[in-house]
Amino acid sequence: MKILLLGEYSRLHNSLKEGLVALGHEAITVASGDDFKKYPTDYSFHSAFFSPFWLIRKAKNLVFKITTIDLEKIERAVRFYFLLPKLKDFHHVQLINSDAIETYPFLTRFLYKKVFQNIESRSLLVCGDETPVIDYLFKKEMKYSVLTPYFNDNSLAKQFHFPLKYRTKSYRKTFDWLHNNCNSLIASDLDYKIPLEAMNYKPHFIPNPINTNIIEFKELEINTTVVIFLGINRGSYIKKGISFFEKALTLIKEKYNSKVEIIITENVPYNQYISLYNKAHILLDQVYAYDQGYNALEAMAKGKVVFTGAENEFTKHYNLTDRVVVNASPDVDSLVNELSYLIENPVEIIAIGKRARAFIEKEHHYTKIAEKYLETWKKESFD
């Protein structure tokens, strides 16, 4: 098969491409690189004119202030439009999200229609914020969610612009159109599967693919110092509950001092990010999740102990009896207790790291996951 993978926010599509290619298929990625993360892509619609130059950015911001028109969104749409001649003769197209082109919804729908004219088999992947997911979170039926900070303080609306936009009429129209014009709806982890099913959708659940062939596992060694890594994306700082980690680390540093080394980075490109945490034993990811996101899974594949989502729904789904990851809750005392236990019991750090790698190889191996995607696409296209 020849597959078009449209959009990228986490390296999911890149890993899926690697799995598909390993199975003998052809796959092409088309994406913007996702701002400072700079994920690789075969064809890019990155806003190369308006984003890098200071004076042009100032002019762009002035235009937005006067007219509310985002010129970067316009540029991405234009660049994507000129890629259309290259996006033909594919057997399947998958969108990473209903906003995969990162432009205005009316332009998004126009461009999707152009792509869909030539590709009959289509899937929509839900691996992040999406209309029915956000709708469900507003019901407040889960004990916490990525919207919990917003629910506690509505003045944070500006910081939650990205998830909240999916409840607007224009973005809802795009999702509904895609749901009606794609053969399959796929959820990448339980944080999206649970809300979709609660909103009466029937997604296929296919875990994130992780390329364990290129992610090297090294058994953790601990001499006198436990290294803890926190990588901050300022755009998702509140949404991921990073302040809980920061407060916990302050207490841990006071408590253990020379027994710990703490590394904190902010808004670094993807390749730099993953190299910076190589020396770490423990990686702090997020507190409002039920399952692991992509960064957490890659760190687990390296054998790190990751603090992230691992709620009862996760352990039950995968029938786990031993910890492969530490469930990070939005509670400073809980985080301090978990970190303290690991610092005082380094053998457990090594054991969790080994189990984490084994779990990734069993449940997230990139070629096994690619096979599941192929099965879903073929089944839904011919049903």
Side-chain angles (χ1 to χ4, degrees), residues 263-367:
I263 303 172
I264 300 177
T265 66
E266 184 171 331
N267 285 16
V268 297
Y270 169 78
N271 287 334
Q272 183 180 351
Y273 172 84
I274 59 175
S275 65
L276 284 169
Y277 73 67
N278 277 339
K279 67 178 289 190
H281 302 104
I282 298 171
L283 182 139
L284 308 180
D285 182 48
Q286 59 181 319
V287 303
Y288 292 119
Y290 285 66
D291 197 348
Q292 298 90 59
Y294 210 86
N295 284 344
L297 293 170
E298 287 197 321
M300 291 167 66
K302 288 190 174 188
K304 310 299 182 185
V305 175
V306 183
F307 278 58
T308 189
E311 284 289 347
N312 292 333
E313 291 86 346
F314 162 74
T315 55
K316 183 178 180 180
H317 178 84
Y318 288 105
N319 194 29
L320 296 171
T321 54
D322 295 314
R323 291 205 295 183
V324 299
V325 67
V326 176
N327 186 39
S329 59
D331 180 271
V332 173
D333 289 339
S334 172
L335 295 173
V336 169
N337 288 339
E338 290 283 11
L339 286 167
S340 297
Y341 173 76
L342 293 173
I343 293 166
E344 294 170 12
N345 297 274
V347 173
E348 183 64 9
I349 295 177
I350 296 170
I352 294 175
K354 289 180 180 178
R355 293 196 296 265
R357 173 68 180 206
F359 171 77
I360 297 299
E361 291 181 347
K362 179 183 178 184
E363 304 292 353
H364 293 273
H365 192 277
Y366 74 125
T367 57

Side-chain angles (χ1 to χ4, degrees), residues 6-9 32 45 73 76 95-105 108 112 124-125 129-130 162 165-166 171 174-175 178:
L6 178 51
E8 182 69 292
Y9 294 126
S32 71
F45 52 86
K73 288 187 176 183
R76 284 193 286 267
L95 312 182
I96 198 79
N97 174 267
S98 64
D99 188 30
I101 306 176
E102 305 167 55
T103 187
Y104 287 104
T108 295
Y112 285 160
L124 174 61
L125 180 58
D129 299 331
E130 192 57 271
F162 285 105
K165 73 182 183 183
Y166 290 99
Y171 282 91
T174 301
F175 176 83
L178 284 171

Side-chain angles (χ1 to χ4, degrees), residues 169-182:
K169 183 178 179 179
S170 55
Y171 282 91
R172 188 179 300 279
K173 183 178 180 180
T174 301
F175 176 83
D176 291 342
W177 183 86
L178 284 171
H179 185 244
N180 291 328
N181 286 275
C182 288

Side-chain angles (χ1 to χ4, degrees), residues 3 27 61 123 135 154 164 172 195-196 253 282 299 307-308 314 360 365:
I3 299 114
N61 293 339
S123 57
D135 282 347
N154 289 164
L164 295 179
R172 188 179 300 279
L196 285 170
K253 188 64 177 176
I282 298 171
F307 278 58
T308 189
F314 162 74
I360 297 299
H365 192 277

Side-chain angles (χ1 to χ4, degrees), residues 188-205:
S188 66
D189 69 50
L190 298 174
D191 287 285
Y192 314 117
K193 177 180 182 288
I194 294 169
L196 285 170
E197 290 179 341
M199 296 299 288
N200 298 315
Y201 290 89
K202 297 180 179 179
H204 297 270
F205 178 59

Side-chain angles (χ1 to χ4, degrees), residues 37-81:
K37 298 174 189 174
K38 298 181 180 178
Y39 293 115
T41 186
D42 295 306
Y43 300 125
S44 175
F45 52 86
H46 169 63
S47 176
F49 181 75
F50 286 109
S51 55
F53 304 111
W54 176 82
L55 188 59
I56 294 176
R57 277 203 314 272
K58 293 286 285 186
K60 179 207 73 170
N61 293 339
L62 181 61
V63 170
F64 181 79
K65 187 174 182 179
I66 296 171
T67 67
T68 71
I69 295 173
D70 187 334
L71 293 176
E72 282 192 53
K73 288 187 176 183
I74 301 296
E75 182 186 352
R76 284 193 286 267
V78 171
R79 289 184 180 276
F80 188 89
Y81 179 82

